[in-house]
PDB file of all heavy atoms in Angstrom:
ATOM      1  N   MET A1323       0.818  -1.200   0.000  1.00 91.00           N
ATOM      2  CA  MET A1323       0.000   0.000   0.000  1.00 91.00           C
ATOM      3  C   MET A1323       0.861   1.263   0.000  1.00 91.00           C
ATOM      4  O   MET A1323       0.556   2.242  -0.674  1.00 91.00           O
ATOM      5  CB  MET A1323      -0.926   0.012   1.222  1.00 91.00           C
ATOM      6  CG  MET A1323      -1.986  -1.085   1.233  1.00 91.00           C
ATOM      7  SD  MET A1323      -3.123  -0.996  -0.185  1.00 91.00           S
ATOM      8  CE  MET A1323      -2.360  -2.165  -1.330  1.00 91.00           C
ATOM      9  N   ILE A1324       1.950   1.225   0.744  1.00 92.00           N
ATOM     10  CA  ILE A1324       2.872   2.370   0.769  1.00 92.00           C
ATOM     11  C   ILE A1324       3.485   2.578  -0.616  1.00 92.00           C
ATOM     12  O   ILE A1324       3.620   3.711  -1.085  1.00 92.00           O
ATOM     13  CB  ILE A1324       3.970   2.155   1.830  1.00 92.00           C
ATOM     14  CG1 ILE A1324       3.358   2.190   3.238  1.00 92.00           C
ATOM     15  CG2 ILE A1324       5.057   3.212   1.700  1.00 92.00           C
ATOM     16  CD1 ILE A1324       4.333   1.852   4.341  1.00 92.00           C
ATOM     17  N   THR A1325       3.837   1.482  -1.285  1.00 92.00           N
ATOM     18  CA  THR A1325       4.392   1.580  -2.639  1.00 92.00           C
ATOM     19  C   THR A1325       3.408   2.245  -3.584  1.00 92.00           C
ATOM     20  O   THR A1325       3.774   3.117  -4.384  1.00 92.00           O
ATOM     21  CB  THR A1325       4.756   0.178  -3.166  1.00 92.00           C
ATOM     22  OG1 THR A1325       5.755  -0.398  -2.331  1.00 92.00           O
ATOM     23  CG2 THR A1325       5.268   0.254  -4.598  1.00 92.00           C
ATOM     24  N   PHE A1326       2.132   1.841  -3.496  1.00 93.00           N
ATOM     25  CA  PHE A1326       1.120   2.447  -4.360  1.00 93.00           C
ATOM     26  C   PHE A1326       0.976   3.938  -4.070  1.00 93.00           C
ATOM     27  O   PHE A1326       0.961   4.765  -5.001  1.00 93.00           O
ATOM     28  CB  PHE A1326      -0.224   1.746  -4.157  1.00 93.00           C
ATOM     29  CG  PHE A1326      -1.370   2.425  -4.855  1.00 93.00           C
ATOM     30  CD1 PHE A1326      -1.557   2.277  -6.219  1.00 93.00           C
ATOM     31  CD2 PHE A1326      -2.255   3.240  -4.154  1.00 93.00           C
ATOM     32  CE1 PHE A1326      -2.604   2.911  -6.874  1.00 93.00           C
ATOM     33  CE2 PHE A1326      -3.296   3.874  -4.787  1.00 93.00           C
ATOM     34  CZ  PHE A1326      -3.476   3.718  -6.154  1.00 93.00           C
ATOM     35  N   VAL A1327       0.873   4.304  -2.805  1.00 93.00           N
ATOM     36  CA  VAL A1327       0.676   5.712  -2.441  1.00 93.00           C
ATOM     37  C   VAL A1327       1.881   6.550  -2.876  1.00 93.00           C
ATOM     38  O   VAL A1327       1.722   7.645  -3.440  1.00 93.00           O
ATOM     39  CB  VAL A1327       0.430   5.856  -0.926  1.00 93.00           C
ATOM     40  CG1 VAL A1327       0.427   7.327  -0.517  1.00 93.00           C
ATOM     41  CG2 VAL A1327      -0.895   5.203  -0.543  1.00 93.00           C
ATOM     42  N   VAL A1328       3.091   6.051  -2.634  1.00 94.00           N
ATOM     43  CA  VAL A1328       4.296   6.795  -3.023  1.00 94.00           C
ATOM     44  C   VAL A1328       4.357   6.953  -4.540  1.00 94.00           C
ATOM     45  O   VAL A1328       4.699   8.024  -5.065  1.00 94.00           O
ATOM     46  CB  VAL A1328       5.558   6.083  -2.495  1.00 94.00           C
ATOM     47  CG1 VAL A1328       6.820   6.735  -3.060  1.00 94.00           C
ATOM     48  CG2 VAL A1328       5.592   6.119  -0.975  1.00 94.00           C
ATOM     49  N   THR A1329       4.008   5.889  -5.272  1.00 93.00           N
ATOM     50  CA  THR A1329       3.995   5.970  -6.739  1.00 93.00           C
ATOM     51  C   THR A1329       3.018   7.031  -7.221  1.00 93.00           C
ATOM     52  O   THR A1329       3.328   7.836  -8.115  1.00 93.00           O
ATOM     53  CB  THR A1329       3.624   4.607  -7.347  1.00 93.00           C
ATOM     54  OG1 THR A1329       4.546   3.620  -6.899  1.00 93.00           O
ATOM     55  CG2 THR A1329       3.657   4.670  -8.867  1.00 93.00           C
ATOM     56  N   MET A1330       1.820   7.052  -6.621  1.00 93.00           N
ATOM     57  CA  MET A1330       0.827   8.045  -7.022  1.00 93.00           C
ATOM     58  C   MET A1330       1.280   9.458  -6.653  1.00 93.00           C
ATOM     59  O   MET A1330       1.041  10.410  -7.408  1.00 93.00           O
ATOM     60  CB  MET A1330      -0.515   7.739  -6.360  1.00 93.00           C
ATOM     61  CG  MET A1330      -1.205   6.489  -6.896  1.00 93.00           C
ATOM     62  SD  MET A1330      -1.550   6.592  -8.686  1.00 93.00           S
ATOM     63  CE  MET A1330      -0.419   5.341  -9.323  1.00 93.00           C
ATOM     64  N   LEU A1331       1.958   9.614  -5.529  1.00 93.00           N
ATOM     65  CA  LEU A1331       2.473  10.937  -5.151  1.00 93.00           C
ATOM     66  C   LEU A1331       3.528  11.410  -6.145  1.00 93.00           C
ATOM     67  O   LEU A1331       3.582  12.594  -6.494  1.00 93.00           O
ATOM     68  CB  LEU A1331       3.059  10.892  -3.739  1.00 93.00           C
ATOM     69  CG  LEU A1331       2.058  10.776  -2.582  1.00 93.00           C
ATOM     70  CD1 LEU A1331       2.786  10.594  -1.258  1.00 93.00           C
ATOM     71  CD2 LEU A1331       1.147  12.004  -2.520  1.00 93.00           C
ATOM     72  N   ILE A1332       4.349  10.466  -6.613  1.00 92.00           N
ATOM     73  CA  ILE A1332       5.361  10.828  -7.619  1.00 92.00           C
ATOM     74  C   ILE A1332       4.693  11.236  -8.924  1.00 92.00           C
ATOM     75  O   ILE A1332       5.020  12.272  -9.521  1.00 92.00           O
ATOM     76  CB  ILE A1332       6.324   9.644  -7.849  1.00 92.00           C
ATOM     77  CG1 ILE A1332       7.157   9.389  -6.594  1.00 92.00           C
ATOM     78  CG2 ILE A1332       7.230   9.918  -9.040  1.00 92.00           C
ATOM     79  CD1 ILE A1332       7.990   8.129  -6.672  1.00 92.00           C
ATOM     80  N   LEU A1333       3.751  10.423  -9.386  1.00 91.00           N
ATOM     81  CA  LEU A1333       3.091  10.705 -10.660  1.00 91.00           C
ATOM     82  C   LEU A1333       2.215  11.946 -10.591  1.00 91.00           C
ATOM     83  O   LEU A1333       2.026  12.639 -11.605  1.00 91.00           O
ATOM     84  CB  LEU A1333       2.254   9.495 -11.086  1.00 91.00           C
ATOM     85  CG  LEU A1333       3.033   8.220 -11.442  1.00 91.00           C
ATOM     86  CD1 LEU A1333       2.086   7.068 -11.710  1.00 91.00           C
ATOM     87  CD2 LEU A1333       3.932   8.459 -12.657  1.00 91.00           C
ATOM     88  N   CYS A1334       1.654  12.236  -9.414  1.00 92.00           N
ATOM     89  CA  CYS A1334       0.758  13.386  -9.263  1.00 92.00           C
ATOM     90  C   CYS A1334       1.477  14.615  -8.731  1.00 92.00           C
ATOM     91  O   CYS A1334       0.814  15.590  -8.318  1.00 92.00           O
ATOM     92  CB  CYS A1334      -0.402  13.034  -8.331  1.00 92.00           C
ATOM     93  SG  CYS A1334      -1.501  11.761  -8.965  1.00 92.00           S
ATOM     94  N   PHE A1335       2.800  14.603  -8.736  1.00 92.00           N
ATOM     95  CA  PHE A1335       3.546  15.757  -8.217  1.00 92.00           C
ATOM     96  C   PHE A1335       3.181  17.068  -8.931  1.00 92.00           C
ATOM     97  O   PHE A1335       3.063  18.115  -8.272  1.00 92.00           O
ATOM     98  CB  PHE A1335       5.043  15.503  -8.315  1.00 92.00           C
ATOM     99  CG  PHE A1335       5.871  16.671  -7.860  1.00 92.00           C
ATOM    100  CD1 PHE A1335       6.039  16.935  -6.504  1.00 92.00           C
ATOM    101  CD2 PHE A1335       6.460  17.530  -8.790  1.00 92.00           C
ATOM    102  CE1 PHE A1335       6.793  18.021  -6.079  1.00 92.00           C
ATOM    103  CE2 PHE A1335       7.206  18.618  -8.380  1.00 92.00           C
ATOM    104  CZ  PHE A1335       7.376  18.863  -7.020  1.00 92.00           C
ATOM    105  N   PRO A1336       3.002  17.083 -10.276  1.00 91.00           N
ATOM    106  CA  PRO A1336       2.617  18.349 -10.923  1.00 91.00           C
ATOM    107  C   PRO A1336       1.315  18.922 -10.378  1.00 91.00           C
ATOM    108  O   PRO A1336       1.218  20.133 -10.128  1.00 91.00           O
ATOM    109  CB  PRO A1336       2.484  17.967 -12.405  1.00 91.00           C
ATOM    110  CG  PRO A1336       3.370  16.778 -12.560  1.00 91.00           C
ATOM    111  CD  PRO A1336       3.246  16.018 -11.280  1.00 91.00           C
ATOM    112  N   GLU A1337       0.301  18.074 -10.180  1.00 92.00           N
ATOM    113  CA  GLU A1337      -0.967  18.553  -9.646  1.00 92.00           C
ATOM    114  C   GLU A1337      -0.809  19.044  -8.204  1.00 92.00           C
ATOM    115  O   GLU A1337      -1.370  20.083  -7.827  1.00 92.00           O
ATOM    116  CB  GLU A1337      -2.028  17.456  -9.697  1.00 92.00           C
ATOM    117  CG  GLU A1337      -2.500  17.082 -11.086  1.00 92.00           C
ATOM    118  CD  GLU A1337      -1.624  16.042 -11.734  1.00 92.00           C
ATOM    119  OE1 GLU A1337      -0.492  15.802 -11.241  1.00 92.00           O
ATOM    120  OE2 GLU A1337      -2.050  15.455 -12.755  1.00 92.00           O
ATOM    121  N   ILE A1338      -0.039  18.300  -7.411  1.00 92.00           N
ATOM    122  CA  ILE A1338       0.181  18.695  -6.016  1.00 92.00           C
ATOM    123  C   ILE A1338       0.895  20.043  -5.957  1.00 92.00           C
ATOM    124  O   ILE A1338       0.557  20.908  -5.140  1.00 92.00           O
ATOM    125  CB  ILE A1338       0.986  17.606  -5.282  1.00 92.00           C
ATOM    126  CG1 ILE A1338       0.158  16.316  -5.184  1.00 92.00           C
ATOM    127  CG2 ILE A1338       1.410  18.074  -3.896  1.00 92.00           C
ATOM    128  CD1 ILE A1338       0.930  15.135  -4.631  1.00 92.00           C
ATOM    129  N   ALA A1339       1.865  20.226  -6.838  1.00 92.00           N
ATOM    130  CA  ALA A1339       2.620  21.480  -6.848  1.00 92.00           C
ATOM    131  C   ALA A1339       1.762  22.653  -7.287  1.00 92.00           C
ATOM    132  O   ALA A1339       1.804  23.737  -6.682  1.00 92.00           O
ATOM    133  CB  ALA A1339       3.844  21.338  -7.764  1.00 92.00           C
ATOM    134  N   ILE A1340       0.953  22.463  -8.333  1.00 91.00           N
ATOM    135  CA  ILE A1340       0.155  23.581  -8.833  1.00 91.00           C
ATOM    136  C   ILE A1340      -0.997  23.911  -7.893  1.00 91.00           C
ATOM    137  O   ILE A1340      -1.426  25.065  -7.795  1.00 91.00           O
ATOM    138  CB  ILE A1340      -0.352  23.297 -10.268  1.00 91.00           C
ATOM    139  CG1 ILE A1340      -0.738  24.601 -10.962  1.00 91.00           C
ATOM    140  CG2 ILE A1340      -1.527  22.341 -10.257  1.00 91.00           C
ATOM    141  CD1 ILE A1340      -0.997  24.450 -12.431  1.00 91.00           C
ATOM    142  N   LEU A1341      -1.486  22.913  -7.152  1.00 91.00           N
ATOM    143  CA  LEU A1341      -2.479  23.200  -6.112  1.00 91.00           C
ATOM    144  C   LEU A1341      -1.872  24.070  -5.017  1.00 91.00           C
ATOM    145  O   LEU A1341      -2.548  24.937  -4.445  1.00 91.00           O
ATOM    146  CB  LEU A1341      -3.006  21.901  -5.507  1.00 91.00           C
ATOM    147  CG  LEU A1341      -4.092  21.151  -6.284  1.00 91.00           C
ATOM    148  CD1 LEU A1341      -4.315  19.769  -5.682  1.00 91.00           C
ATOM    149  CD2 LEU A1341      -5.405  21.944  -6.297  1.00 91.00           C
ATOM    150  N   ALA A1342      -0.593  23.860  -4.724  1.00 91.00           N
ATOM    151  CA  ALA A1342       0.080  24.649  -3.686  1.00 91.00           C
ATOM    152  C   ALA A1342       0.389  26.060  -4.165  1.00 91.00           C
ATOM    153  O   ALA A1342       0.133  27.042  -3.451  1.00 91.00           O
ATOM    154  CB  ALA A1342       1.360  23.948  -3.245  1.00 91.00           C
ATOM    155  N   THR A1343       0.920  26.187  -5.376  1.00 90.00           N
ATOM    156  CA  THR A1343       1.352  27.496  -5.867  1.00 90.00           C
ATOM    157  C   THR A1343       0.188  28.391  -6.277  1.00 90.00           C
ATOM    158  O   THR A1343       0.353  29.609  -6.349  1.00 90.00           O
ATOM    159  CB  THR A1343       2.307  27.326  -7.056  1.00 90.00           C
ATOM    160  OG1 THR A1343       1.670  26.524  -8.071  1.00 90.00           O
ATOM    161  CG2 THR A1343       3.582  26.633  -6.623  1.00 90.00           C
ATOM    162  N   ASN A1344      -0.973  27.801  -6.554  1.00 87.00           N
ATOM    163  CA  ASN A1344      -2.122  28.597  -6.984  1.00 87.00           C
ATOM    164  C   ASN A1344      -3.242  28.613  -5.947  1.00 87.00           C
ATOM    165  O   ASN A1344      -4.373  28.973  -6.277  1.00 87.00           O
ATOM    166  CB  ASN A1344      -2.664  28.069  -8.309  1.00 87.00           C
ATOM    167  CG  ASN A1344      -1.732  28.351  -9.473  1.00 87.00           C
ATOM    168  OD1 ASN A1344      -1.773  29.410 -10.087  1.00 87.00           O
ATOM    169  ND2 ASN A1344      -0.853  27.397  -9.758  1.00 87.00           N
ATOM    170  N   ARG A1345      -2.939  28.239  -4.725  1.00 88.00           N
ATOM    171  CA  ARG A1345      -3.957  28.284  -3.669  1.00 88.00           C
ATOM    172  C   ARG A1345      -4.300  29.742  -3.350  1.00 88.00           C
ATOM    173  O   ARG A1345      -3.413  30.543  -3.076  1.00 88.00           O
ATOM    174  CB  ARG A1345      -3.450  27.588  -2.409  1.00 88.00           C
ATOM    175  CG  ARG A1345      -4.427  27.630  -1.231  1.00 88.00           C
ATOM    176  CD  ARG A1345      -3.884  26.838  -0.061  1.00 88.00           C
ATOM    177  NE  ARG A1345      -2.622  27.359   0.407  1.00 88.00           N
ATOM    178  CZ  ARG A1345      -2.507  28.342   1.317  1.00 88.00           C
ATOM    179  NH1 ARG A1345      -3.578  28.898   1.844  1.00 88.00           N
ATOM    180  NH2 ARG A1345      -1.309  28.757   1.696  1.00 88.00           N
ATOM    181  N   PRO A1346      -5.584  30.100  -3.424  1.00 86.00           N
ATOM    182  CA  PRO A1346      -5.973  31.479  -3.069  1.00 86.00           C
ATOM    183  C   PRO A1346      -5.533  31.821  -1.652  1.00 86.00           C
ATOM    184  O   PRO A1346      -5.572  30.979  -0.752  1.00 86.00           O
ATOM    185  CB  PRO A1346      -7.501  31.448  -3.195  1.00 86.00           C
ATOM    186  CG  PRO A1346      -7.776  30.327  -4.136  1.00 86.00           C
ATOM    187  CD  PRO A1346      -6.726  29.299  -3.873  1.00 86.00           C
ATOM    188  N   GLU A1347      -5.114  33.057  -1.447  1.00 84.00           N
ATOM    189  CA  GLU A1347      -4.528  33.455  -0.171  1.00 84.00           C
ATOM    190  C   GLU A1347      -5.510  33.323   0.985  1.00 84.00           C
ATOM    191  O   GLU A1347      -5.110  33.011   2.111  1.00 84.00           O
ATOM    192  CB  GLU A1347      -4.021  34.903  -0.256  1.00 84.00           C
ATOM    193  CG  GLU A1347      -2.855  35.072  -1.217  1.00 84.00           C
ATOM    194  CD  GLU A1347      -2.360  36.501  -1.252  1.00 84.00           C
ATOM    195  OE1 GLU A1347      -2.975  37.351  -0.556  1.00 84.00           O
ATOM    196  OE2 GLU A1347      -1.370  36.767  -1.951  1.00 84.00           O
ATOM    197  N   TYR A1348      -6.790  33.569   0.728  1.00 82.00           N
ATOM    198  CA  TYR A1348      -7.740  33.557   1.839  1.00 82.00           C
ATOM    199  C   TYR A1348      -8.250  32.151   2.174  1.00 82.00           C
ATOM    200  O   TYR A1348      -9.038  31.985   3.097  1.00 82.00           O
ATOM    201  CB  TYR A1348      -8.919  34.496   1.580  1.00 82.00           C
ATOM    202  CG  TYR A1348      -9.772  34.148   0.372  1.00 82.00           C
ATOM    203  CD1 TYR A1348     -10.805  33.226   0.472  1.00 82.00           C
ATOM    204  CD2 TYR A1348      -9.560  34.765  -0.844  1.00 82.00           C
ATOM    205  CE1 TYR A1348     -11.598  32.920  -0.612  1.00 82.00           C
ATOM    206  CE2 TYR A1348     -10.347  34.479  -1.942  1.00 82.00           C
ATOM    207  CZ  TYR A1348     -11.359  33.557  -1.821  1.00 82.00           C
ATOM    208  OH  TYR A1348     -12.140  33.264  -2.904  1.00 82.00           O
ATOM    209  N   LEU A1349      -7.796  31.133   1.424  1.00 85.00           N
ATOM    210  CA  LEU A1349      -8.132  29.752   1.772  1.00 85.00           C
ATOM    211  C   LEU A1349      -7.068  29.195   2.712  1.00 85.00           C
ATOM    212  O   LEU A1349      -5.874  29.392   2.513  1.00 85.00           O
ATOM    213  CB  LEU A1349      -8.216  28.881   0.525  1.00 85.00           C
ATOM    214  CG  LEU A1349      -9.405  29.116  -0.413  1.00 85.00           C
ATOM    215  CD1 LEU A1349      -9.399  28.070  -1.526  1.00 85.00           C
ATOM    216  CD2 LEU A1349     -10.720  29.072   0.333  1.00 85.00           C
ATOM    217  N   SER A1350      -7.504  28.484   3.707  1.00 88.00           N
ATOM    218  CA  SER A1350      -6.598  27.929   4.699  1.00 88.00           C
ATOM    219  C   SER A1350      -5.715  26.840   4.089  1.00 88.00           C
ATOM    220  O   SER A1350      -6.092  26.170   3.125  1.00 88.00           O
ATOM    221  CB  SER A1350      -7.397  27.360   5.879  1.00 88.00           C
ATOM    222  OG  SER A1350      -6.560  26.610   6.741  1.00 88.00           O
ATOM    223  N   ILE A1351      -4.516  26.693   4.677  1.00 92.00           N
ATOM    224  CA  ILE A1351      -3.623  25.623   4.242  1.00 92.00           C
ATOM    225  C   ILE A1351      -4.258  24.258   4.483  1.00 92.00           C
ATOM    226  O   ILE A1351      -3.930  23.272   3.814  1.00 92.00           O
ATOM    227  CB  ILE A1351      -2.272  25.727   5.002  1.00 92.00           C
ATOM    228  CG1 ILE A1351      -1.241  24.760   4.412  1.00 92.00           C
ATOM    229  CG2 ILE A1351      -2.475  25.447   6.488  1.00 92.00           C
ATOM    230  CD1 ILE A1351      -0.783  25.094   3.030  1.00 92.00           C
ATOM    231  N   THR A1352      -5.216  24.212   5.405  1.00 91.00           N
ATOM    232  CA  THR A1352      -5.944  22.962   5.654  1.00 91.00           C
ATOM    233  C   THR A1352      -6.683  22.500   4.409  1.00 91.00           C
ATOM    234  O   THR A1352      -6.790  21.298   4.140  1.00 91.00           O
ATOM    235  CB  THR A1352      -6.935  23.153   6.810  1.00 91.00           C
ATOM    236  OG1 THR A1352      -6.243  23.627   7.959  1.00 91.00           O
ATOM    237  CG2 THR A1352      -7.639  21.846   7.150  1.00 91.00           C
ATOM    238  N   ASN A1353      -7.212  23.452   3.636  1.00 90.00           N
ATOM    239  CA  ASN A1353      -7.916  23.100   2.409  1.00 90.00           C
ATOM    240  C   ASN A1353      -6.972  22.433   1.409  1.00 90.00           C
ATOM    241  O   ASN A1353      -7.371  21.518   0.679  1.00 90.00           O
ATOM    242  CB  ASN A1353      -8.543  24.337   1.776  1.00 90.00           C
ATOM    243  CG  ASN A1353      -9.612  24.960   2.644  1.00 90.00           C
ATOM    244  OD1 ASN A1353      -9.569  26.154   2.941  1.00 90.00           O
ATOM    245  ND2 ASN A1353     -10.591  24.172   3.081  1.00 90.00           N
ATOM    246  N   TYR A1354      -5.719  22.881   1.388  1.00 92.00           N
ATOM    247  CA  TYR A1354      -4.734  22.292   0.479  1.00 92.00           C
ATOM    248  C   TYR A1354      -4.476  20.832   0.838  1.00 92.00           C
ATOM    249  O   TYR A1354      -4.542  19.938  -0.025  1.00 92.00           O
ATOM    250  CB  TYR A1354      -3.438  23.097   0.518  1.00 92.00           C
ATOM    251  CG  TYR A1354      -2.283  22.427  -0.168  1.00 92.00           C
ATOM    252  CD1 TYR A1354      -2.243  22.297  -1.561  1.00 92.00           C
ATOM    253  CD2 TYR A1354      -1.216  21.900   0.564  1.00 92.00           C
ATOM    254  CE1 TYR A1354      -1.183  21.672  -2.194  1.00 92.00           C
ATOM    255  CE2 TYR A1354      -0.155  21.276  -0.063  1.00 92.00           C
ATOM    256  CZ  TYR A1354      -0.139  21.162  -1.435  1.00 92.00           C
ATOM    257  OH  TYR A1354       0.912  20.540  -2.063  1.00 92.00           O
ATOM    258  N   PHE A1355      -4.188  20.583   2.115  1.00 93.00           N
ATOM    259  CA  PHE A1355      -3.910  19.208   2.538  1.00 93.00           C
ATOM    260  C   PHE A1355      -5.164  18.329   2.436  1.00 93.00           C
ATOM    261  O   PHE A1355      -5.069  17.134   2.139  1.00 93.00           O
ATOM    262  CB  PHE A1355      -3.360  19.189   3.957  1.00 93.00           C
ATOM    263  CG  PHE A1355      -1.953  19.716   4.054  1.00 93.00           C
ATOM    264  CD1 PHE A1355      -1.682  20.932   4.656  1.00 93.00           C
ATOM    265  CD2 PHE A1355      -0.899  18.995   3.517  1.00 93.00           C
ATOM    266  CE1 PHE A1355      -0.387  21.415   4.743  1.00 93.00           C
ATOM    267  CE2 PHE A1355       0.405  19.476   3.591  1.00 93.00           C
ATOM    268  CZ  PHE A1355       0.661  20.683   4.203  1.00 93.00           C
ATOM    269  N   SER A1356      -6.333  18.929   2.643  1.00 92.00           N
ATOM    270  CA  SER A1356      -7.577  18.166   2.480  1.00 92.00           C
ATOM    271  C   SER A1356      -7.752  17.737   1.031  1.00 92.00           C
ATOM    272  O   SER A1356      -8.195  16.616   0.748  1.00 92.00           O
ATOM    273  CB  SER A1356      -8.773  19.007   2.932  1.00 92.00           C
ATOM    274  OG  SER A1356      -8.689  19.317   4.305  1.00 92.00           O
ATOM    275  N   ALA A1357      -7.414  18.646   0.093  1.00 92.00           N
ATOM    276  CA  ALA A1357      -7.523  18.312  -1.325  1.00 92.00           C
ATOM    277  C   ALA A1357      -6.569  17.179  -1.702  1.00 92.00           C
ATOM    278  O   ALA A1357      -6.940  16.267  -2.462  1.00 92.00           O
ATOM    279  CB  ALA A1357      -7.233  19.553  -2.171  1.00 92.00           C
ATOM    280  N   ILE A1358      -5.344  17.207  -1.169  1.00 93.00           N
ATOM    281  CA  ILE A1358      -4.366  16.155  -1.475  1.00 93.00           C
ATOM    282  C   ILE A1358      -4.833  14.817  -0.905  1.00 93.00           C
ATOM    283  O   ILE A1358      -4.801  13.785  -1.587  1.00 93.00           O
ATOM    284  CB  ILE A1358      -2.980  16.521  -0.920  1.00 93.00           C
ATOM    285  CG1 ILE A1358      -2.514  17.861  -1.488  1.00 93.00           C
ATOM    286  CG2 ILE A1358      -1.981  15.417  -1.249  1.00 93.00           C
ATOM    287  CD1 ILE A1358      -2.459  17.921  -2.992  1.00 93.00           C
ATOM    288  N   LEU A1359      -5.260  14.819   0.350  1.00 94.00           N
ATOM    289  CA  LEU A1359      -5.736  13.579   0.968  1.00 94.00           C
ATOM    290  C   LEU A1359      -6.950  13.021   0.232  1.00 94.00           C
ATOM    291  O   LEU A1359      -7.070  11.810   0.026  1.00 94.00           O
ATOM    292  CB  LEU A1359      -6.077  13.821   2.436  1.00 94.00           C
ATOM    293  CG  LEU A1359      -4.902  13.987   3.394  1.00 94.00           C
ATOM    294  CD1 LEU A1359      -5.399  14.365   4.785  1.00 94.00           C
ATOM    295  CD2 LEU A1359      -4.080  12.705   3.457  1.00 94.00           C
ATOM    296  N   PHE A1360      -7.855  13.921  -0.162  1.00 94.00           N
ATOM    297  CA  PHE A1360      -9.028  13.491  -0.915  1.00 94.00           C
ATOM    298  C   PHE A1360      -8.616  12.853  -2.238  1.00 94.00           C
ATOM    299  O   PHE A1360      -9.146  11.805  -2.631  1.00 94.00           O
ATOM    300  CB  PHE A1360      -9.947  14.684  -1.156  1.00 94.00           C
ATOM    301  CG  PHE A1360     -11.119  14.369  -2.038  1.00 94.00           C
ATOM    302  CD1 PHE A1360     -12.194  13.644  -1.560  1.00 94.00           C
ATOM    303  CD2 PHE A1360     -11.146  14.798  -3.364  1.00 94.00           C
ATOM    304  CE1 PHE A1360     -13.277  13.342  -2.375  1.00 94.00           C
ATOM    305  CE2 PHE A1360     -12.220  14.508  -4.176  1.00 94.00           C
ATOM    306  CZ  PHE A1360     -13.284  13.779  -3.690  1.00 94.00           C
ATOM    307  N   GLY A1361      -7.653  13.467  -2.930  1.00 93.00           N
ATOM    308  CA  GLY A1361      -7.195  12.923  -4.202  1.00 93.00           C
ATOM    309  C   GLY A1361      -6.563  11.549  -4.052  1.00 93.00           C
ATOM    310  O   GLY A1361      -6.846  10.630  -4.829  1.00 93.00           O
ATOM    311  N   ILE A1362      -5.714  11.380  -3.039  1.00 94.00           N
ATOM    312  CA  ILE A1362      -5.071  10.077  -2.821  1.00 94.00           C
ATOM    313  C   ILE A1362      -6.106   9.028  -2.437  1.00 94.00           C
ATOM    314  O   ILE A1362      -6.036   7.874  -2.872  1.00 94.00           O
ATOM    315  CB  ILE A1362      -3.992  10.198  -1.736  1.00 94.00           C
ATOM    316  CG1 ILE A1362      -2.880  11.154  -2.197  1.00 94.00           C
ATOM    317  CG2 ILE A1362      -3.417   8.834  -1.405  1.00 94.00           C
ATOM    318  CD1 ILE A1362      -2.179  10.727  -3.465  1.00 94.00           C
ATOM    319  N   SER A1363      -7.085   9.416  -1.629  1.00 94.00           N
ATOM    320  CA  SER A1363      -8.132   8.461  -1.251  1.00 94.00           C
ATOM    321  C   SER A1363      -8.946   8.039  -2.467  1.00 94.00           C
ATOM    322  O   SER A1363      -9.352   6.873  -2.590  1.00 94.00           O
ATOM    323  CB  SER A1363      -9.048   9.066  -0.187  1.00 94.00           C
ATOM    324  OG  SER A1363      -9.836  10.131  -0.714  1.00 94.00           O
ATOM    325  N   LEU A1364      -9.191   8.972  -3.383  1.00 93.00           N
ATOM    326  CA  LEU A1364      -9.918   8.645  -4.616  1.00 93.00           C
ATOM    327  C   LEU A1364      -9.121   7.654  -5.464  1.00 93.00           C
ATOM    328  O   LEU A1364      -9.681   6.685  -6.003  1.00 93.00           O
ATOM    329  CB  LEU A1364     -10.191   9.924  -5.409  1.00 93.00           C
ATOM    330  CG  LEU A1364     -10.841   9.768  -6.792  1.00 93.00           C
ATOM    331  CD1 LEU A1364     -12.181   9.059  -6.681  1.00 93.00           C
ATOM    332  CD2 LEU A1364     -11.010  11.131  -7.450  1.00 93.00           C
TER     333      LEU A1364
END
C-alpha cells in the first residue's frame, strides 16, 4: 500500500505542486492538505 501511495504521489507531483502554488490566499492551508488527501483516497 505504501508503494502504491508513493507511486501516485510521484506521478501526481505536478498537480500537487500547482495546487500549492495557486492556492488562493484567503483559503486555509488545511484546504490544500484536504484536497491532497481526498485525491489520494480517490
Side-chain angles (χ1 to χ4, degrees):
M1323 294 299 96
I1324 292 174
T1325 298
F1326 172 78
V1327 172
V1328 172
T1329 303
M1330 290 300 112
L1331 288 174
I1332 293 172
L1333 293 174
C1334 295
F1335 177 77
E1337 291 86 345
I1338 294 173
I1340 200 169
L1341 279 170
T1343 55
N1344 289 274
R1345 178 176 60 87
E1347 294 181 357
Y1348 62 85
L1349 289 186
S1350 170
I1351 189 68
T1352 305
N1353 296 127
Y1354 169 71
F1355 288 109
S1356 297
I1358 303 303
L1359 286 174
F1360 174 75
I1362 297 300
S1363 69
L1364 175 59

